[in-house]
Coordinates of all heavy atoms in Angstrom, one line a residue:
M14 N 0.8 -1.2 0.0 CA 0.0 0.0 0.0 C 0.9 1.3 0.0 O 0.6 2.2 -0.7 CB -0.9 0.0 1.2 CG -1.7 1.3 1.4 SD -2.8 1.4 2.8 CE -1.7 0.9 4.1
A15 N 1.9 1.3 0.8 CA 2.8 2.4 0.8 C 3.4 2.7 -0.6 O 3.5 3.9 -0.9 CB 4.0 2.2 1.8
A16 N 3.7 1.7 -1.3 CA 4.3 1.9 -2.7 C 3.2 2.5 -3.6 O 3.5 3.4 -4.4 CB 4.8 0.6 -3.2
L17 N 2.0 2.1 -3.4 CA 0.9 2.6 -4.3 C 0.7 4.1 -4.0 O 0.5 4.9 -4.9 CB -0.4 1.9 -4.0 CG -0.4 0.4 -4.5 CD1 -1.7 -0.3 -4.1 CD2 -0.3 0.4 -6.1
I18 N 0.7 4.5 -2.7 CA 0.5 5.9 -2.3 C 1.7 6.7 -2.8 O 1.5 7.8 -3.3 CB 0.3 6.0 -0.8 CG1 -1.0 5.3 -0.4 CG2 0.4 7.5 -0.3 CD1 -1.2 5.2 1.1
A19 N 2.9 6.2 -2.7 CA 4.1 6.9 -3.2 C 4.0 7.1 -4.7 O 4.4 8.2 -5.2 CB 5.4 6.1 -2.8
D20 N 3.5 6.1 -5.4 CA 3.3 6.3 -6.9 C 2.2 7.4 -7.2 O 2.3 8.1 -8.1 CB 2.9 5.0 -7.5 CG 4.0 4.0 -7.7 OD1 5.2 4.5 -7.5 OD2 3.8 2.8 -7.9
M21 N 1.2 7.4 -6.3 CA 0.1 8.3 -6.5 C 0.5 9.8 -6.2 O 0.0 10.7 -6.8 CB -1.1 7.9 -5.6 CG -2.3 8.8 -5.8 SD -3.8 8.2 -4.8 CE -3.3 8.6 -3.2
I22 N 1.5 9.9 -5.3 CA 1.9 11.3 -4.9 C 3.4 11.4 -5.1 O 4.2 11.1 -4.2 CB 1.5 11.5 -3.4 CG1 0.0 11.3 -3.2 CG2 1.9 13.0 -3.0 CD1 -0.4 11.1 -1.8
P23 N 3.9 11.7 -6.3 CA 5.3 11.8 -6.6 C 6.1 12.7 -5.6 O 5.6 13.8 -5.2 CB 5.4 12.3 -8.0 CG 4.1 12.0 -8.6 CD 3.1 12.1 -7.4
G24 N 7.2 12.2 -5.1 CA 8.1 12.9 -4.2 C 7.7 12.8 -2.7 O 8.4 13.2 -1.8
A25 N 6.6 12.1 -2.4 CA 6.1 11.9 -1.1 C 7.0 10.9 -0.3 O 7.4 9.9 -0.9 CB 4.7 11.4 -1.0
R26 N 7.3 11.2 0.9 CA 8.0 10.3 1.8 C 7.2 9.8 3.0 O 7.4 8.7 3.5 CB 9.3 10.9 2.2 CG 10.2 10.2 3.2 CD 10.7 8.9 2.7 NE 11.3 8.1 3.7 CZ 12.5 7.7 3.7 NH1 13.3 8.0 2.7 NH2 13.0 7.0 4.7
T27 N 6.4 10.8 3.5 CA 5.6 10.5 4.7 C 4.2 10.9 4.5 O 3.9 12.0 3.9 CB 6.2 11.3 5.9 OG1 7.5 11.0 6.1 CG2 5.4 11.0 7.2
L28 N 3.3 10.1 4.9 CA 1.8 10.4 4.8 C 1.3 10.5 6.3 O 1.4 9.5 7.0 CB 1.1 9.3 4.1 CG -0.4 9.6 3.9 CD1 -0.7 10.6 2.9 CD2 -1.1 8.3 3.5
R29 N 0.8 11.6 6.7 CA 0.2 11.8 8.0 C -1.3 11.7 7.8 O -1.9 12.4 7.1 CB 0.6 13.2 8.6 CG -0.1 13.3 10.0 CD 0.6 14.4 10.7 NE 2.0 14.0 11.1 CZ 2.9 14.8 11.5 NH1 2.6 16.1 11.7 NH2 4.1 14.4 11.8
V30 N -1.9 10.7 8.6 CA -3.3 10.4 8.5 C -4.0 10.6 9.8 O -3.4 10.3 10.9 CB -3.4 8.9 8.1 CG1 -4.9 8.5 8.0 CG2 -2.7 8.6 6.8
S31 N -5.2 11.2 9.7 CA -6.0 11.4 10.9 C -7.5 11.3 10.5 O -7.8 11.2 9.3 CB -5.7 12.7 11.6 OG -6.2 13.8 10.8
Q32 N -8.3 11.3 11.5 CA -9.8 11.3 11.3 C -10.4 12.6 11.4 O -11.6 12.8 11.3 CB -10.5 10.4 12.4 CG -10.5 8.9 12.0 CD -11.6 8.6 11.0 OE1 -12.0 9.4 10.1 NE2 -12.1 7.4 11.1
R33 N -9.5 13.6 11.6 CA -10.1 15.0 11.8 C -9.3 15.9 10.8 O -8.1 16.1 11.0 CB -9.9 15.5 13.2 CG -10.8 14.8 14.2 CD -11.7 15.7 14.9 NE -12.4 15.0 15.9 CZ -13.7 14.7 15.7 NH1 -14.4 15.1 14.7 NH2 -14.4 14.0 16.6
E34 N -10.0 16.6 10.0 CA -9.4 17.6 9.1 C -9.4 18.9 9.9 O -10.4 19.2 10.6 CB -10.3 17.8 7.9 CG -9.7 18.8 6.9 CD -10.5 18.8 5.6 OE1 -11.3 17.9 5.3 OE2 -10.3 19.8 4.8
P35 N -8.2 19.6 9.9 CA -8.2 20.8 10.6 C -9.3 21.8 10.2 O -9.7 21.9 9.1 CB -6.8 21.4 10.2 CG -6.0 20.2 9.8 CD -7.0 19.3 9.2
G36 N -9.9 22.4 11.2 CA -11.0 23.3 11.0 C -12.4 22.7 10.9 O -13.4 23.4 10.6
R37 N -12.5 21.4 11.0 CA -13.8 20.7 11.0 C -14.1 20.0 12.3 O -13.1 19.5 12.9 CB -13.8 19.7 9.9 CG -13.5 20.3 8.5 CD -14.2 19.7 7.4 NE -13.8 20.4 6.2 CZ -14.6 20.3 5.2 NH1 -15.6 19.6 5.1 NH2 -14.2 21.0 4.1
S38 N -15.3 20.0 12.7 CA -15.6 19.4 14.0 C -16.1 18.0 13.9 O -16.2 17.3 14.9 CB -16.7 20.2 14.6 OG -17.9 20.3 13.8
W39 N -16.4 17.5 12.7 CA -16.8 16.1 12.5 C -15.7 15.3 11.9 O -14.8 15.7 11.3 CB -18.0 16.1 11.6 CG -17.8 16.6 10.2 CD1 -17.3 15.9 9.1 CD2 -18.0 18.0 9.8 NE1 -17.2 16.8 8.1 CE2 -17.6 18.0 8.4 CE3 -18.5 19.1 10.4 CZ2 -17.7 19.2 7.7 CZ3 -18.5 20.3 9.6 CH2 -18.1 20.3 8.3
P40 N -15.7 14.0 12.2 CA -14.7 13.0 11.7 C -14.7 12.9 10.2 O -15.8 12.8 9.6 CB -15.0 11.7 12.4 CG -16.0 12.0 13.4 CD -16.7 13.3 13.1
S41 N -13.6 12.9 9.6 CA -13.5 12.8 8.1 C -12.0 12.3 7.9 O -11.1 13.0 8.4 CB -13.8 14.1 7.4 OG -13.6 14.0 6.1
P42 N -11.8 11.3 7.1 CA -10.4 10.9 6.8 C -9.7 12.0 6.2 O -10.2 12.7 5.3 CB -10.6 9.7 5.8 CG -12.0 9.2 6.0 CD -12.8 10.4 6.4
Y43 N -8.5 12.2 6.7 CA -7.7 13.4 6.2 C -6.2 12.9 6.2 O -5.7 12.2 7.0 CB -7.8 14.5 7.2 CG -7.0 15.7 6.9 CD1 -7.4 16.6 5.8 CD2 -5.9 16.1 7.6 CE1 -6.7 17.7 5.5 CE2 -5.2 17.2 7.3 CZ -5.6 18.0 6.2 OH -4.8 19.1 5.9
A44 N -5.5 13.5 5.2 CA -4.1 13.1 5.0 C -3.3 14.4 4.6 O -3.8 15.2 3.9 CB -3.9 12.0 4.0
R45 N -2.1 14.4 5.1 CA -1.1 15.4 4.6 C 0.2 14.6 4.2 O 0.4 13.6 4.7 CB -0.6 16.3 5.7 CG -1.7 17.3 6.2 CD -1.1 18.2 7.2 NE -2.1 19.2 7.6 CZ -2.0 20.0 8.6 NH1 -0.9 19.9 9.4 NH2 -2.9 20.8 8.9
T46 N 0.9 15.1 3.2 CA 2.0 14.4 2.7 C 3.3 15.3 2.8 O 3.2 16.5 2.5 CB 1.8 14.0 1.2 OG1 0.6 13.3 1.2 CG2 2.9 13.1 0.8
Y47 N 4.4 14.7 3.1 CA 5.7 15.4 3.3 C 6.7 14.7 2.4 O 6.7 13.5 2.3 CB 6.1 15.4 4.7 CG 5.1 16.1 5.6 CD1 4.1 15.3 6.2 CD2 5.1 17.5 5.9 CE1 3.1 15.9 7.1 CE2 4.2 18.1 6.7 CZ 3.2 17.3 7.3 OH 2.2 17.9 8.1
D48 N 7.7 15.5 1.9 CA 8.8 15.0 1.2 C 9.9 14.6 2.1 O 9.7 14.6 3.4 CB 9.3 16.0 0.1 CG 9.9 17.2 0.7 OD1 10.2 17.3 1.9 OD2 10.1 18.2 -0.1
A49 N 11.0 14.1 1.6 CA 12.1 13.6 2.4 C 12.7 14.7 3.4 O 13.3 14.4 4.4 CB 13.2 13.0 1.6
Q50 N 12.6 16.0 3.0 CA 13.1 17.1 3.8 C 12.0 17.6 4.8 O 12.3 18.5 5.6 CB 13.6 18.2 3.0 CG 14.8 17.9 2.2 CD 14.6 17.0 1.0 OE1 13.5 17.2 0.3 NE2 15.5 16.1 0.7
G51 N 10.9 17.0 4.8 CA 9.8 17.4 5.7 C 9.0 18.5 5.2 O 8.2 19.1 6.0
Q52 N 9.1 18.9 4.0 CA 8.3 20.0 3.4 C 6.9 19.4 2.9 O 6.9 18.3 2.3 CB 9.0 20.6 2.2 CG 10.3 21.2 2.5 CD 10.2 22.3 3.5 OE1 9.3 23.2 3.3 NE2 11.0 22.3 4.5
L53 N 5.9 20.2 3.2 CA 4.5 19.8 2.8 C 4.4 19.7 1.3 O 4.8 20.6 0.6 CB 3.6 20.8 3.4 CG 2.1 20.5 3.3 CD1 1.7 19.2 4.0 CD2 1.3 21.7 3.7
I54 N 3.8 18.6 0.9 CA 3.4 18.5 -0.6 C 1.9 18.6 -0.6 O 1.1 18.0 0.1 CB 3.8 17.1 -1.1 CG1 5.3 16.9 -1.0 CG2 3.3 16.8 -2.5 CD1 5.8 15.5 -1.4
A55 N 1.5 19.5 -1.5 CA 0.0 19.8 -1.7 C -0.7 18.6 -2.3 O -0.2 17.9 -3.2 CB -0.2 21.0 -2.5
L56 N -1.8 18.2 -1.7 CA -2.7 17.2 -2.2 C -4.0 17.8 -2.6 O -4.5 18.7 -1.9 CB -3.0 16.1 -1.1 CG -1.8 15.3 -0.6 CD1 -2.3 14.4 0.6 CD2 -1.2 14.5 -1.7
N57 N -4.7 17.2 -3.6 CA -6.0 17.6 -3.8 C -6.9 16.8 -2.9 O -6.5 15.8 -2.3 CB -6.4 17.5 -5.3 CG -6.4 16.1 -5.8 OD1 -6.8 15.1 -5.2 ND2 -5.8 15.9 -7.0
R58 N -8.2 17.2 -2.8 CA -9.1 16.5 -1.8 C -9.2 15.0 -2.1 O -9.2 14.2 -1.2 CB -10.4 17.2 -1.9 CG -11.4 16.6 -0.8 CD -12.5 17.6 -0.5 NE -13.5 17.1 0.3 CZ -13.4 16.9 1.7 NH1 -12.3 17.3 2.3 NH2 -14.4 16.4 2.4
A59 N -9.3 14.6 -3.4 CA -9.4 13.2 -3.8 C -8.2 12.4 -3.3 O -8.4 11.3 -2.8 CB -9.7 13.1 -5.3
Q60 N -7.0 12.9 -3.6 CA -5.8 12.2 -3.2 C -5.8 12.0 -1.7 O -5.5 10.9 -1.2 CB -4.6 13.0 -3.6 CG -4.3 13.0 -5.1 CD -3.1 13.9 -5.4 OE1 -3.0 15.0 -5.0 NE2 -2.2 13.4 -6.2
G61 N -6.0 13.1 -0.9 CA -6.0 13.1 0.5 C -7.0 12.1 1.1 O -6.6 11.3 2.0
M62 N -8.2 12.1 0.6 CA -9.2 11.3 1.2 C -9.0 9.8 0.8 O -9.1 8.9 1.6 CB -10.6 11.7 0.6 CG -11.1 13.0 1.1 SD -12.3 13.2 2.4 CE -13.4 11.8 2.3
T63 N -8.6 9.6 -0.4 CA -8.3 8.2 -0.9 C -7.1 7.6 -0.1 O -7.3 6.5 0.4 CB -7.9 8.2 -2.4 OG1 -9.1 8.7 -3.1 CG2 -7.6 6.8 -2.8
A64 N -6.0 8.3 0.0 CA -4.9 7.8 0.8 C -5.2 7.6 2.2 O -4.9 6.5 2.8 CB -3.7 8.7 0.7
A65 N -5.9 8.5 2.9 CA -6.3 8.3 4.3 C -7.2 7.1 4.5 O -7.0 6.3 5.4 CB -7.0 9.6 4.8
R66 N -8.2 7.0 3.6 CA -9.1 5.8 3.7 C -8.3 4.5 3.5 O -8.6 3.5 4.3 CB -10.2 5.9 2.6 CG -11.2 6.9 3.0 CD -12.3 7.0 2.0 NE -13.3 7.9 2.3 CZ -14.1 8.5 1.5 NH1 -14.0 8.3 0.2 NH2 -15.0 9.4 1.9
W67 N -7.4 4.4 2.6 CA -6.6 3.2 2.4 C -5.9 2.8 3.7 O -5.9 1.7 4.2 CB -5.6 3.3 1.3 CG -6.2 3.3 -0.1 CD1 -7.5 3.1 -0.4 CD2 -5.5 3.6 -1.3 NE1 -7.6 3.1 -1.8 CE2 -6.4 3.4 -2.3 CE3 -4.2 3.9 -1.6 CZ2 -6.0 3.6 -3.7 CZ3 -3.8 4.1 -2.9 CH2 -4.7 3.9 -3.9
V68 N -5.2 3.8 4.3 CA -4.4 3.6 5.5 C -5.4 3.2 6.7 O -5.1 2.2 7.4 CB -3.6 4.8 5.9 CG1 -2.9 4.6 7.2 CG2 -2.5 5.0 4.7
I69 N -6.4 3.9 6.9 CA -7.3 3.7 8.0 C -8.0 2.3 7.8 O -8.0 1.5 8.8 CB -8.4 4.8 8.1 CG1 -7.8 6.1 8.6 CG2 -9.6 4.3 9.0 CD1 -8.7 7.3 8.4
R70 N -8.4 1.9 6.7 CA -9.0 0.6 6.5 C -7.9 -0.6 6.6 O -8.3 -1.7 7.0 CB -9.7 0.5 5.1 CG -10.9 1.4 5.1 CD -11.6 1.3 3.8 NE -12.8 2.2 3.8 CZ -13.4 2.6 2.8 NH1 -13.0 2.2 1.5 NH2 -14.5 3.4 2.9
A71 N -6.7 -0.3 6.2 CA -5.7 -1.3 6.3 C -5.2 -1.5 7.8 O -4.5 -2.5 8.1 CB -4.5 -0.9 5.5
H72 N -5.5 -0.6 8.7 CA -5.1 -0.7 10.1 C -6.3 -0.5 11.0 O -6.4 0.5 11.8 CB -4.1 0.4 10.4 CG -2.8 0.2 9.6 ND1 -1.8 -0.7 10.0 CD2 -2.4 0.8 8.4 CE1 -0.9 -0.6 9.1 NE2 -1.2 0.3 8.1
P73 N -7.3 -1.5 11.0 CA -8.5 -1.3 11.8 C -8.2 -1.4 13.3 O -9.1 -1.0 14.1 CB -9.4 -2.5 11.3 CG -8.4 -3.5 10.8 CD -7.3 -2.7 10.2
D74 N -7.1 -1.9 13.7 CA -6.7 -2.0 15.1 C -6.2 -0.7 15.7 O -6.1 -0.6 17.0 CB -5.7 -3.1 15.3 CG -4.4 -2.9 14.5 OD1 -4.6 -2.5 13.3 OD2 -3.3 -3.1 14.9
V75 N -6.0 0.3 14.9 CA -5.4 1.6 15.4 C -6.6 2.4 15.9 O -7.6 2.5 15.2 CB -4.6 2.3 14.3 CG1 -4.2 3.7 14.7 CG2 -3.4 1.4 13.9
T76 N -6.4 3.1 17.0 CA -7.3 4.1 17.4 C -7.0 5.4 16.7 O -5.9 6.0 17.0 CB -7.2 4.3 19.0 OG1 -7.4 3.1 19.6 CG2 -8.2 5.4 19.5
W77 N -7.9 5.9 15.9 CA -7.6 7.0 15.0 C -7.9 8.4 15.6 O -8.2 9.3 14.9 CB -8.3 6.8 13.7 CG -7.6 5.8 12.9 CD1 -8.0 4.5 12.8 CD2 -6.4 5.8 12.2 NE1 -7.1 3.8 12.0 CE2 -6.1 4.6 11.7 CE3 -5.4 6.9 12.0 CZ2 -5.0 4.3 10.9 CZ3 -4.3 6.6 11.3 CH2 -4.1 5.3 10.7
E78 N -7.9 8.5 16.9 CA -8.2 9.7 17.6 C -7.0 10.7 17.5 O -7.1 11.9 17.6 CB -8.6 9.5 19.0 CG -9.9 8.8 19.1 CD -10.5 8.7 20.5 OE1 -10.2 9.6 21.3 OE2 -11.4 7.9 20.7
E79 N -5.8 10.1 17.2 CA -4.6 10.9 17.0 C -4.1 10.7 15.6 O -4.5 9.7 15.0 CB -3.5 10.5 18.1 CG -3.9 10.7 19.5 CD -4.1 12.2 19.8 OE1 -3.4 13.1 19.3 OE2 -5.0 12.5 20.6
A80 N -3.2 11.5 15.1 CA -2.6 11.4 13.8 C -1.5 10.3 13.8 O -0.8 10.1 14.8 CB -2.1 12.7 13.3
Y81 N -1.4 9.6 12.7 CA -0.3 8.6 12.5 C 0.4 9.0 11.2 O -0.1 9.5 10.3 CB -0.9 7.2 12.4 CG -1.2 6.6 13.8 CD1 -2.4 7.0 14.4 CD2 -0.4 5.8 14.4 CE1 -2.7 6.5 15.6 CE2 -0.7 5.2 15.6 CZ -1.9 5.6 16.2 OH -2.2 5.1 17.5
D82 N 1.7 8.6 11.2 CA 2.6 8.8 10.1 C 2.9 7.5 9.4 O 3.3 6.6 10.1 CB 3.9 9.5 10.4 CG 3.7 11.0 10.8 OD1 2.7 11.6 10.4 OD2 4.6 11.6 11.4
L83 N 2.7 7.4 8.1 CA 3.1 6.2 7.4 C 4.3 6.6 6.6 O 4.3 7.5 5.8 CB 2.0 5.8 6.4 CG 2.3 4.6 5.5 CD1 2.5 3.3 6.3 CD2 1.2 4.4 4.5
D84 N 5.4 5.9 6.9 CA 6.7 6.1 6.1 C 6.5 5.3 4.8 O 6.4 4.1 4.8 CB 7.9 5.5 6.9 CG 9.2 5.7 6.2 OD1 9.3 5.6 5.0 OD2 10.1 6.1 6.9
L85 N 6.5 6.0 3.7 CA 6.2 5.4 2.4 C 7.4 4.6 1.9 O 7.2 3.9 0.9 CB 5.8 6.5 1.4 CG 4.5 7.3 1.8 CD1 4.2 8.4 0.8 CD2 3.3 6.3 2.0
A86 N 8.6 4.8 2.4 CA 9.7 4.0 2.0 C 9.7 2.6 2.7 O 10.1 1.6 2.1 CB 11.0 4.7 2.3
T87 N 9.3 2.6 3.9 CA 9.3 1.3 4.7 C 8.0 0.7 5.0 O 7.9 -0.5 5.3 CB 10.0 1.5 6.1 OG1 9.2 2.4 6.9 CG2 11.4 2.1 5.9
G88 N 6.9 1.5 4.9 CA 5.6 1.0 5.2 C 5.3 1.0 6.7 O 4.3 0.5 7.1
T89 N 6.1 1.6 7.5 CA 6.0 1.7 8.9 C 5.0 2.7 9.3 O 5.1 3.9 8.9 CB 7.3 2.0 9.6 OG1 8.3 1.0 9.2 CG2 7.2 1.9 11.1
L90 N 4.0 2.3 10.2 CA 3.0 3.3 10.7 C 3.4 3.5 12.2 O 3.5 2.6 12.9 CB 1.6 2.7 10.6 CG 0.5 3.6 11.0 CD1 0.3 4.7 10.0 CD2 -0.8 2.8 11.2
R91 N 3.5 4.8 12.5 CA 3.8 5.3 13.9 C 3.0 6.4 14.3 O 2.5 7.2 13.4 CB 5.3 5.7 13.9 CG 6.3 4.7 13.6 CD 7.7 5.3 13.7 NE 8.6 4.4 13.1 CZ 9.8 4.8 12.7 NH1 10.2 6.0 13.0 NH2 10.7 4.0 12.2
P92 N 2.8 6.6 15.6 CA 2.1 7.8 16.0 C 2.8 9.0 15.5 O 4.1 9.0 15.5 CB 2.1 7.7 17.5 CG 2.3 6.3 17.8 CD 3.1 5.7 16.7
A93 N 2.1 10.1 15.1 CA 2.8 11.2 14.5 C 3.8 11.9 15.3 O 4.9 12.2 14.8 CB 1.7 12.3 14.1
G94 N 3.7 12.0 16.6 CA 4.7 12.6 17.5 C 5.9 11.7 17.6 O 7.0 12.3 17.5
A95 N 5.8 10.4 17.6 CA 7.0 9.5 17.6 C 7.8 9.6 16.4 O 9.0 9.6 16.4 CB 6.5 8.1 17.9
Y96 N 7.1 9.7 15.2 CA 7.9 9.8 14.0 C 8.6 11.1 13.8 O 9.8 11.2 13.5 CB 6.9 9.6 12.8 CG 7.7 9.4 11.5 CD1 8.4 8.3 11.2 CD2 7.7 10.4 10.5 CE1 9.1 8.2 10.0 CE2 8.4 10.3 9.4 CZ 9.1 9.2 9.1 OH 9.8 9.0 8.0
A97 N 7.9 12.2 14.2 CA 8.6 13.5 14.1 C 9.8 13.6 15.1 O 10.8 14.2 14.7 CB 7.6 14.6 14.5
A98 N 9.7 12.9 16.2 CA 10.8 12.9 17.2 C 12.0 12.2 16.6 O 13.1 12.5 17.1 CB 10.4 12.3 18.5
T99 N 11.9 11.3 15.7 CA 13.0 10.6 15.1 C 13.5 11.2 13.8 O 14.3 10.7 13.1 CB 12.6 9.1 14.8 OG1 11.6 9.1 13.8 CG2 12.2 8.4 16.0
G100 N 13.1 12.4 13.5 CA 13.6 13.2 12.4 C 12.7 13.0 11.2 O 13.1 13.3 10.1
G101 N 11.5 12.4 11.3 CA 10.6 12.2 10.2 C 9.8 13.4 9.9 O 10.2 14.5 10.1
G102 N 8.6 13.2 9.3 CA 7.8 14.3 8.8 C 7.4 15.3 9.9 O 7.4 14.9 11.1
R103 N 7.1 16.5 9.6 CA 6.8 17.5 10.5 C 5.4 17.8 10.5 O 4.7 17.8 9.7 CB 7.6 18.8 10.2 CG 9.1 18.5 10.5 CD 9.9 19.7 10.0 NE 11.3 19.6 10.4 CZ 12.2 18.7 9.8 NH1 11.8 17.8 9.0 NH2 13.4 18.7 10.2

């Protein structure tokens, strides 16, 4: 799945997924993408929703109340704070 998302979003290294889009009060699959230097890559709504849904559905055991980062090179899913602390996406 990580390889498919990386192909869908050229230059992406990290996908941050959550159930809350900033500025909205209701749950909705949401994703942000970062390159290898931690710079934000713009996504259109369809890309963001599709990628977020894929990750959320592939990890039904995760509590999605917090954001998680998917490393697109390794396929590793980690809590967003833990990944940022190791030098990953911002």
Side-chain angles (χ1 to χ4, degrees):
M14 173 182 51
L17 292 173
I18 293 171
D20 285 345
M21 183 173 72
I22 308 165
R26 172 63 189 242
T27 304
L28 180 75
R29 180 162 293 164
V30 179
S31 69
Q32 274 282 33
R33 294 239 184 252
E34 183 173 346
R37 303 215 178 199
S38 58
W39 60 87
S41 177
Y43 180 73
R45 288 182 179 170
T46 309
Y47 301 90
D48 65 15
Q50 290 76 37
Q52 299 298 314
L53 185 65
I54 296 174
L56 297 176
N57 63 43
R58 184 159 174 79
Q60 287 174 313
M62 296 257 328
T63 299
R66 285 180 179 155
W67 286 354
V68 174
I69 289 169
R70 289 179 181 166
H72 298 278
D74 55 320
V75 172
T76 302
W77 289 101
E78 296 191 18
E79 299 296 326
Y81 281 80
D82 288 339
L83 177 65
D84 184 316
L85 299 178
T87 66
T89 303
L90 184 71
R91 300 181 194 162
Y96 188 70
T99 63
R103 293 174 174 68

